[in-house]
């Protein structure tokens, strides 16, 4: 059998060879890094994001172990539950709620001492208003109160700074109280005065030696320091008659008001409306006024009150405390000014 000789294969044409070489080079370039570097290929480096510049925050202020930290309180919450809480944590929450954290540090310290004193005064057996609890979280009864989450939400971008600022006020006054005769005082306070604070006897009918009228330096820098409240005659009469049905509001509204007298601080002591006498404090409540420092006028179309300040006017003015701190007064000087004859002292 005759074998046929195989023909030698012809060389590939040049274009095909060039294409094969190109493909081989591309594969080599792609696979070489994988062959040289074991494992996964690391991700590409990214440029770091810029870091925000924040206000300089003071170091953590709450002490690990202080007098406040060793005291526990039973706090009545709005839900009706009673929570046990340390005094320093309670004070942080009260100060955060009661005074703007933007205030001067010395004003915040004065607020802290007043709040601590008021709390311990309320906690004493004879003054307790809450069976099963020492104090409550209702500002109309005891003191205003915010959780840390609520405070942070209100402070927004300044939350970290303000949180440490309040903590510093609590820590720097640890265990300090306002004492009169060696006992914690009823350290009441309010928002702003109209030049003077009021005597307790003028507002509540009780003579308290350390709650007497003193000058207070705040003024028009206070938001809402001067306000105006206007009623129609029908709105005014409805409010008054709901409390004093015997009042005579017949005739023209311009004849509804009788005499008005002021106490030594300038607040209304007694006002006569519709033949009925009421205290300035009562009038404030009936007509929803911000303070008892007011004047009033009536026309056939309206009854108008012009009001100065905010609050009951007894004890420490918070805006007054801030104004005094701005003048260089220390928290001790502020407290001993507003609580006449009291002394700031630590617990023994």
């Amino acid at each position: 059998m005759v074998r046929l000789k195989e023909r030698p294969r012809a060389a590939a044409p040049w274009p095909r060879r060039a294409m094969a070489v190109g493909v081989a080079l591309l594969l080599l370039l792609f696979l070489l890094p994988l062959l040289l570097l074991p494992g996964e290929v690391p991700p590409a480096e990214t440029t770091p994001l810029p870091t925000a510049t924040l206000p300089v925050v003071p170091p953590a202020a709450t002490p690990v172990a202080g007098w406040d930290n060793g005291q526990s309180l039973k706090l009545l919450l709005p839900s009706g539950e009673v929570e046990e809480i340390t005094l320093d944590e309670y004070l942080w929450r009260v100060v955060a709620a009661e005074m703007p954290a933007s205030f001067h540090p010395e004003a915040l310290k004065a607020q802290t001492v007043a709040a601590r004193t008021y709390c311990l005064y309320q906690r004493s057996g004879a003054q307790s208003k809450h069976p099963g609890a020492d104090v409550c979280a209702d500002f109309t009864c005891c003191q205003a109160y915010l959780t840390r989450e609520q405070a942070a939400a209100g402070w927004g971008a300044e939350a970290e700074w303000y949180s440490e600022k309040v903590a510093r006020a609590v820590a720097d006054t640890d265990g300090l109280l306002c004492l009169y005769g060696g006992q914690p005082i009823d350290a009441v306070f309010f928002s702003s005065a109209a030049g003077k604070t009021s005597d307790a006897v003028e507002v509540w009918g009780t003579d308290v030696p350390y709650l007497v009228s003193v000058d207070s330096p705040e003024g028009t820098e206070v938001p809402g320091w001067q306000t105006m409240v206007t009623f129609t005659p029908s709105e005014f009469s409805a409010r008054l008659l709901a409390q004093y049905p015997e009042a005579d509001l017949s005739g023209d509204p311009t004849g509804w008001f009788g005499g008005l007298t002021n106490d030594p601080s300038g607040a209304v002591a007694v006002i006569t409306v519709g033949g009925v006498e009421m205290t300035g404090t009562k009038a404030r409540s009936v007509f929803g006024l911000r303070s008892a420092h007011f004047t009033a006028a009536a026309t056939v179309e309206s009854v108008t009150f012009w009001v100065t300040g905010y609050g009951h006017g007894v004890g420490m003015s918070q805006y007054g405390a801030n104004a005094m701190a701005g003048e260089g007064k220390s928290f001790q000087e502020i407290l001993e000014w507003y609580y006449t004859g009291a002394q700031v002292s630590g617990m023994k």
Side-chain angles (χ1 to χ4, degrees), residues 60-151:
T62 304
V64 175
W67 191 87
D68 290 345
N69 188 255
Q71 304 294 310
S72 63
L73 288 174
K74 292 180 179 178
L75 173 68
L76 178 63
L77 299 172
S79 64
E81 298 178 2
V82 175
E83 175 186 3
E84 190 160 340
I85 187 173
T86 60
L87 180 56
D88 57 344
E89 179 63 20
Y90 171 74
L91 289 173
W92 188 99
R93 298 180 186 195
V94 168
V95 175
E98 285 285 7
M99 179 175 276
S102 59
F103 273 22
H104 194 286
E106 293 301 304
L108 289 168
K109 292 177 190 177
Q111 179 67 64
T112 304
V113 176
R116 182 184 294 110
T117 306
Y118 183 84
C119 172
L120 296 186
Y121 178 85
Q122 293 296 322
R123 191 177 68 171
S124 64
Q127 301 296 332
S128 178
K129 297 179 286 187
H130 312 290
D134 299 311
V135 290
C136 74
D138 181 359
F139 77 94
T140 63
C141 179
C142 290
Q143 301 185 92
Y145 177 91
L146 288 175
T147 65
R148 287 183 178 262
E149 293 75 19
Q150 290 169 331

Side-chain angles (χ1 to χ4, degrees), residues 54-303:
L54 298 175
V56 177
V57 178
T62 304
V64 175
W67 191 87
D68 290 345
N69 188 255
Q71 304 294 310
S72 63
L73 288 174
K74 292 180 179 178
L75 173 68
L76 178 63
L77 299 172
S79 64
E81 298 178 2
V82 175
E83 175 186 3
E84 190 160 340
I85 187 173
T86 60
L87 180 56
D88 57 344
E89 179 63 20
Y90 171 74
L91 289 173
W92 188 99
R93 298 180 186 195
V94 168
V95 175
E98 285 285 7
M99 179 175 276
S102 59
F103 273 22
H104 194 286
E106 293 301 304
L108 289 168
K109 292 177 190 177
Q111 179 67 64
T112 304
V113 176
R116 182 184 294 110
T117 306
Y118 183 84
C119 172
L120 296 186
Y121 178 85
Q122 293 296 322
R123 191 177 68 171
S124 64
Q127 301 296 332
S128 178
K129 297 179 286 187
H130 312 290
D134 299 311
V135 290
C136 74
D138 181 359
F139 77 94
T140 63
C141 179
C142 290
Q143 301 185 92
Y145 177 91
L146 288 175
T147 65
R148 287 183 178 262
E149 293 75 19
Q150 290 169 331
W155 290 332
E158 302 294 335
E160 183 180 5
W161 170 251
Y162 285 160
S163 177
E164 289 294 342
K165 194 175 177 186
V166 173
R168 170 66 63 190
V170 175
D172 285 353
T173 63
D174 183 68
L176 293 180
L177 299 169
C178 279
L179 305 177
Y180 189 89
Q183 298 298 316
I185 68 171
D186 187 8
V188 292
F189 48 86
F190 63 101
S191 181
S192 62
K196 287 179 176 290
T197 66
S198 295
D199 281 80
V201 68
E202 299 287 350
V203 177
W204 297 316
T206 302
D207 189 10
V208 183
Y210 51 80
L211 296 177
V212 296
S213 179
V214 298
D215 292 336
S216 195
E218 70 271 40
T220 54
E221 81 281 0
V222 178
W225 189 60
Q226 293 176 313
T227 53
M228 183 176 70
V229 180
T230 300
F231 299 99
T232 65
S234 60
E235 291 170 338
F236 179 87
S237 61
R239 283 178 175 255
L240 183 66
L241 293 173
Q243 297 291 320
Y244 297 95
E246 71 276 21
D248 180 9
L249 296 180
S250 59
D252 194 301
T254 57
W256 289 353
F257 285 92
L260 181 153
T261 59
N262 299 97
D263 66 23
S265 74
V268 173
V270 178
I271 185 171
T272 302
V273 186
V276 174
E277 283 192 352
M278 72 180 84
T279 66
T281 299
K282 182 64 176 180
R284 178 194 173 206
S285 174
V286 170
F287 301 111
L289 310 179
R290 286 169 66 88
S291 84
H293 284 259
F294 63 82
T295 58
T299 68
V300 293
E301 297 179 344
S302 65
V303 178

